[in-house]
Amino acid sequence: MTQPTGSTRADDLSVTHGPGPTTSSAPRADAGVGELLGQLTEQVSHLVRDEVQLAKMDLAAKGKKAGVGIGMFSGAGLLAFFGVAALVTTAIVALSAAVPAWLAALIVAVVLFAAAAVLALMGKKEVQQATPPVPQAAVDGIKQDVQAVKEGFHR
């Protein structure tokens, strides 16, 4: 019994199969119903394990992307907080004394807001790439398997 192996990269969700069942995959002309049912059971078992493995890999990749995006949103929020603090400091300095110190505080606030905007856009992109959290490759594989079984019954 072999386990499928595959890459953990988000863009490569291929599953590599081991040697598979030990019995011949092509039915023999003299094979009995019991033997054919045994082969069917074994092949369905391998197929289900492979589909579950593919679904796990797909969900793990999407979860990682969502985590990176959420982290970037958090960073954007923190920078925006400091930007507001810098604007408050700017207002205090500007009101307390009309000296160039307020201009320095205003420049810092603008730079912090620009950095927050960049992080927010990058975080939004990461979260969008991770949604919807459906293991699409596994769903497509199951649909193909069902279609193949249906065609096999019609022969």
Side-chain angles (χ1 to χ4, degrees):
M1 183 159 64
T2 61
Q3 293 293 326
T5 59
S7 173
T8 57
R9 288 187 44 213
D11 57 346
D12 180 20
L13 295 176
S14 61
V15 176
T16 307
H17 303 281
T22 55
T23 60
S24 172
S25 60
R28 296 186 330 260
D30 62 340
V33 173
E35 187 177 345
L36 290 175
L37 285 176
Q39 288 178 0
L40 175 66
T41 303
E42 188 175 346
Q43 289 174 356
V44 167
S45 174
H46 282 281
L47 180 64
V48 169
R49 277 195 300 269
D50 289 349
E51 294 296 343
V52 168
Q53 182 68 22
L54 181 61
K56 285 180 184 178
M57 291 168 44
D58 199 7
L59 287 174
K62 287 187 178 192
K64 183 177 179 182
K65 281 223 175 265
V68 168
I70 289 169
M72 288 181 176
F73 270 132
S74 299
L78 181 64
L79 289 177
F81 172 77
F82 284 120
V84 169
L87 281 178
V88 170
T89 303
T90 301
I92 292 171
V93 171
L95 291 175
S96 68
V99 293
W102 67 268
L103 184 58
L106 182 60
I107 290 171
V108 169
V110 168
V111 168
L112 287 173
F113 280 129
V118 168
L119 271 179
L121 291 174
M122 290 171 57
K124 178 182 175 189
K125 178 183 170 191
E126 290 291 326
V127 170
Q128 283 177 337
Q129 289 178 355
T131 55
V134 175
Q136 195 60 45
V139 170
D140 292 342
I142 290 172
K143 286 179 182 178
Q144 289 174 353
D145 296 340
V146 168
Q147 185 64 30
V149 169
K150 284 180 181 178
E151 288 175 7
F153 280 126
H154 291 296
R155 290 184 184 174

